[in-house]
Amino acid sequence: RKNTPSLPKTVTTHFFPAYPWDKSSLKSMPVDLQQLEKLDAYALKVNVKNSVEELVKVLLKQARTDLEKVRAIWMWICHHIEYDVVGYHNKSQLSSKPRDVLQMGKSICEGYAELFEHMCSLAGIQCKKLSGHAKGHGYKTGQTFTGDSDHAWNAVYLEGRWHLLDSTWGSGSVDDSFTKFTQRYNEFYFLTHPALFINNHFPDNSNWQLLKPTLTLKEFENNMLHNSNFYTLGMLAVHPDTPIIPTVNGKASVSVDCRPGTLFMFKLKGTDEQGLMTLKKNGMELDIYPQQTGSHKLEIFAKPSKAEASDDVYKCVVEYVVECESVDAAARFPKDLHQPVGPSWFSQRHGFLRPSHQEPVLHTNDGRCCLTFTLGKDISVLTSLHTDGSSLDEDMGRHHVLQTHRRNQVELKVHLPHAGNFVLKIYSKKKSDPGNYDYIFNYLIRCLNTEVKWPAFPKRYSKWLQDYEILEPLSGLLPANRNVQFKLKMHGIAKVLVQAENTYPLTQNKDCWEGTCNTSGCREVFVMVHENANHSFYSHVLRYEVEAQ
């Protein structure tokens, strides 16, 4: 074994950060990345391939402090040395001597670390090459580490203490088959906080964890792997923090704590159909109900909701293995259910305030439910109801939800056509926007009562205004040969008629129009309004069907 560098005697113990991570900084010393932008840009442009000495000389022209010297070297290596996937499979041909690495422009971790160490020594900076085990490429959840170390990285001495960095991982990543390297700079591995670095780097000499207390190899193996995305996207903790989760009665639960304003998605065996995810102000909660027994991979993805990030894609922040012993078949979700479920800061941001129902799932015994929201300014709402099977086409799905506006409140009445699992989807747009409605959020509505069989609400035409209200009859299907009482709240009109076989006028009583109509001899009934007493023109506002004789 190579002799492992010993810690210099000058290091005093009170410098060591404690484990676990205190959630403060991702780095082991303050680094102002904006201040380093000029230097970074300079280092990237340096193009010297003939000698390491010459390269360091040119790089250091713009660097004054030790931190800046290390930064220039780090930036150059991360952007100019590629990982040698061919050499990795054929190590006998490989030289990790700094001069050869520079000339080839590629290497494996050993070469990155030796080049880094050599360049630092030329710059007058103390630097060590460290070796150990890494949870890097090809790592499987829960695996053990035996035998020789498999990775190399560096420690540098800055401002009176040691700091860790990994230029191999800073430069990019290798695909699963280990045949292709993708150059993608990763800031996370520059001067990483030791309590985070230990997450996937275990040095042969435990002193180089730079932690008090140090972790054992067993602890390292059992700890949950958090990749750099986990920290750079602002994740703080996950529960459970063990990588393998057994289901209890067919269900497994996971939650994530993070910075506010983070969006999430998940995949269990590649789909998000077997779970129920809710967004929380500082994270998310997820209940998983696998529909097959066995071991399943669960991936959780995150992205910031602020759109200014150009690479605004979901990135995997944590992976679990869910071990399912029994299936809860009752927890099958409709395929139209969209994750996350229920109201959240996201729906609030889109103008749906003070929801009457905070939970993602609504249980109803009689097949009816009523939700209310306070609406932000200038918001127009659209809803639809969905279920598996063909019982509700898109048009019918609309007519089983009745929307009523009272000043800045919207009320959604839902009458289910039968028992089962339904999805209530809610869309919105600015009233002033001519464009389409955007999907915002949805609820799961469950009804077990097989007696339930509500007809649709009456069909509303475009002249039926948002703040009109149907008090009765609410059912869009009227009984045959009956006198039916009508009571409608409408404003700004001169006259209201109900047209069945005969025509029946309604009379105005304060803001209500009331009256009776007889349904004999007709299959449909229309409500019509006269907007202006001087016009003879009537507009249809509502349509009811009449039961067959």
Side-chain angles (χ1 to χ4, degrees), residues 71-87:
R71 179 70 176 187
I73 293 168
W74 158 268
M75 272 322 240
W76 193 90
I77 290 181
C78 287
H79 289 84
H80 292 85
I81 306 298
E82 283 191 23
Y83 193 85
D84 187 352
V85 278
V86 179

Side-chain angles (χ1 to χ4, degrees), residues 404 463-470 489-491 493 541:
T404 306
K463 290 280 186 185
W464 178 265
L465 301 185
Q466 275 206 331
D467 53 355
Y468 287 0
E469 190 173 344
I470 303 173
K489 262 191 186 179
M490 298 186 284
H491 57 81
I493 41 188
V541 289

Side-chain angles (χ1 to χ4, degrees), residues 100 121 184 203 221 275 286 305 310 376 384 397 418 430 458 467 500:
D100 299 335
S121 73
R184 189 186 292 115
E221 288 169 347
L286 171 62
S305 63
S310 54
S384 59
H418 52 76
K430 283 215 168 345
D467 53 355

Side-chain angles (χ1 to χ4, degrees), residues 378-382 427-439:
D378 184 38
I379 286 177
S380 188
V381 180
L382 189 70
Y427 304 78
S428 80
K429 74 179 188 76
K430 283 215 168 345
K431 284 181 190 157
S432 47
D433 280 0
N436 293 334
Y437 283 84
D438 291 322
Y439 166 78

Side-chain angles (χ1 to χ4, degrees), residues 273-339:
E273 286 160 16
Q274 300 173 14
L276 196 68
M277 180 176 82
T278 52
L279 278 188
K280 299 291 175 214
K281 184 169 167 239
N282 293 301
M284 71 92 153
E285 289 172 9
L286 171 62
D287 292 331
I288 288 285
Y289 301 89
Q291 295 299 302
Q292 279 168 307
T293 56
S295 288
H296 309 307
K297 178 158 105 170
L298 169 63
E299 300 165 287
I300 293 171
F301 303 83
K303 75 169 187 182
S305 63
K306 303 259 185 297
E308 63 247 23
S310 54
D311 57 338
D312 208 12
V313 290
Y314 280 100
K315 294 187 182 143
C316 184
V317 289
V318 67
E319 259 182 50
Y320 288 98
V321 173
V322 177
E323 296 193 332
C324 177
E325 279 148 46
S326 67
V327 167
D328 178 359
R332 251 203 205 117
F333 300 116
K335 58 179 186 301
D336 277 303
L337 189 67
H338 200 84
Q339 308 289 345

Side-chain angles (χ1 to χ4, degrees), residues 1-6 109-114 117 127-135 145 147-155 164-166 168-169 197-198 200-209 217 220:
R1 304 277 303 129
K2 297 183 200 68
N3 56 341
T4 320
S6 58
C109 58
E110 199 75 22
Y112 277 90
E114 286 192 20
E117 182 181 31
C127 177
K128 302 277 185 200
K129 187 184 97 181
L130 304 176
S131 54
H133 293 292
K135 292 184 181 177
F145 291 90
D148 280 350
S149 55
D150 54 28
H151 191 49
W153 57 93
N154 298 93
L164 301 167
L165 43 77
D166 183 340
T168 310
W169 290 10
F197 204 74
I198 192 64
N200 44 22
H201 292 75
F202 190 82
D204 294 334
N205 174 343
S206 62
N207 285 334
W208 285 103
Q209 294 179 23
L217 181 61
F220 174 73

